[in-house]
Amino acid sequence: MTVYFIGAGPGDPELLTLKAARIIGACPVCLYAGSLVPAEVVACAPQGSLVMDTAPMTLDETHGVISDAHAKGQDVARVHSGDPSLYGAIAEQIRRLKADGIDYQIIPGVPAYAAAAAALGTELTVPEVAQSIILTRMSMKSTGMPKGETLENFARTGATLAIHLGIRALREIERQLAPYYGADCPVAVIYRVGWPDQLIIRGTLTDVREKVRAAKITRTALILVGPALADSHGFPDSALYDAARPHVLRPRVKA
């Protein structure tokens, strides 16, 4: 018996990997986070299987279902949004599985920031503008952030920021980031990326809060911040395809 932690992607059922779909389609028990994973994503579960939305359940309750499945020798598809390695709350689940001697595997999924960049039609790492992406979140009502993991510290790098759980903290995000990125730094808020009601709001650190308020968005949104989001740059072409720069797969300089 194995518990499969499956990354369902950001919401679009077509972004489910072939491996994830195959495993969901073979497991007699499927637990999915219904607040973040559409039911359509787990529609490939076998007929007659136990499919449960874990949104209203506690950790003890979900582990109880898994323990029952373990006793019956039934594999479990534990389906999470995005990629399970990012804010998937799987660490505490894995701790319990290990304590009970239950095998598990992790199946990666498309993370929200990647789907958001695709929806925006942009690259998040632009040559000489930003070559790093920092994935972080606001604490709000969740567990606190470790010491040193602050927006100010991240902002000092000038990297592209992907901020989770921050839609109700845009004023604080502006306050902390504007001194480093500038008040006119581009911001993109992507609401329910990959879902049918996906909405994209573009703005700056100065005006995006009012735009979000007007759209009445209060949850389930990813915030991207950084100069790489600007519509145009005077950036150089990547050296990767530069004819004047040979590399191991293109050893000769081309005229």
Side-chain angles (χ1 to χ4, degrees), residues 10-214:
D12 183 350
E14 292 187 333
L15 290 180
L16 193 66
T17 67
L18 293 174
K19 185 173 186 177
R22 175 177 60 80
I23 293 174
I24 293 172
C27 287
V29 178
C30 177
L31 306 177
Y32 74 105
S35 59
L36 298 172
V37 177
E40 290 79 5
V41 168
V42 296
C44 55
Q47 185 175 3
S49 61
L50 175 63
V51 179
M52 298 181 67
D53 178 1
T54 62
M57 299 171 67
T58 66
L59 178 60
D60 285 340
E61 290 170 338
T62 58
H63 187 72
V65 175
I66 290 172
S67 297
D68 290 343
H70 179 250
K72 298 174 183 177
Q74 297 177 325
D75 290 339
V76 176
R78 183 68 174 100
V79 184
H80 288 262
S81 63
D83 181 88
S85 68
L86 298 174
Y87 310 121
I90 65 172
E92 59 262 40
Q93 297 180 69
I94 290 172
R95 180 165 56 193
R96 295 194 176 206
L97 295 179
K98 287 182 175 179
D100 290 347
I102 300 175
D103 291 334
Y104 71 91
Q105 292 184 28
I106 300 174
I107 312 301
V110 176
Y113 80 88
L120 291 168
T122 192
E123 182 176 356
L124 301 179
T125 52
V126 178
E128 296 187 7
V129 176
Q131 288 291 286
S132 301
I133 302 170
I134 295 175
L135 309 175
T136 188
R137 67 172 176 83
M138 301 298 287
S139 57
M140 300 299 288
K141 295 182 180 181
S142 301
T143 52
M145 295 292 287
K147 184 178 180 180
E149 292 191 18
T150 66
L151 285 184
E152 289 100 329
N153 284 344
F154 296 145
R156 290 186 178 95
T157 68
T160 303
L161 301 184
I163 306 173
H164 294 255
L165 303 178
I167 198 64
R168 297 187 180 184
L170 286 172
R171 185 187 297 274
E172 182 63 14
I173 290 172
E174 176 189 354
R175 185 189 70 79
Q176 295 188 47
L177 297 186
Y180 300 95
Y181 287 95
D184 293 331
C185 179
V187 177
V189 173
I190 305 91
Y191 170 74
R192 285 166 64 93
V193 61
W195 291 63
D197 57 349
Q198 171 183 294
L199 177 64
I200 296 175
I201 298 176
R202 289 180 178 268
T204 66
L205 281 172
T206 300
D207 65 18
V208 74
R209 183 167 57 89
E210 291 303 322
K211 292 181 178 181
V212 167
R213 177 183 293 179

Side-chain angles (χ1 to χ4, degrees), residues 214-252:
K216 298 181 179 180
I217 296 174
T218 59
R219 61 188 298 273
T220 323
L222 179 67
I223 303 165
L224 297 178
V225 181
L229 299 176
D231 289 335
S232 61
H233 304 282
F235 63 88
D237 289 342
S238 169
L240 181 63
Y241 301 108
D242 189 341
R245 299 193 184 191
H247 54 66
V248 65
L249 297 179
R250 193 182 61 238
R252 296 182 180 180

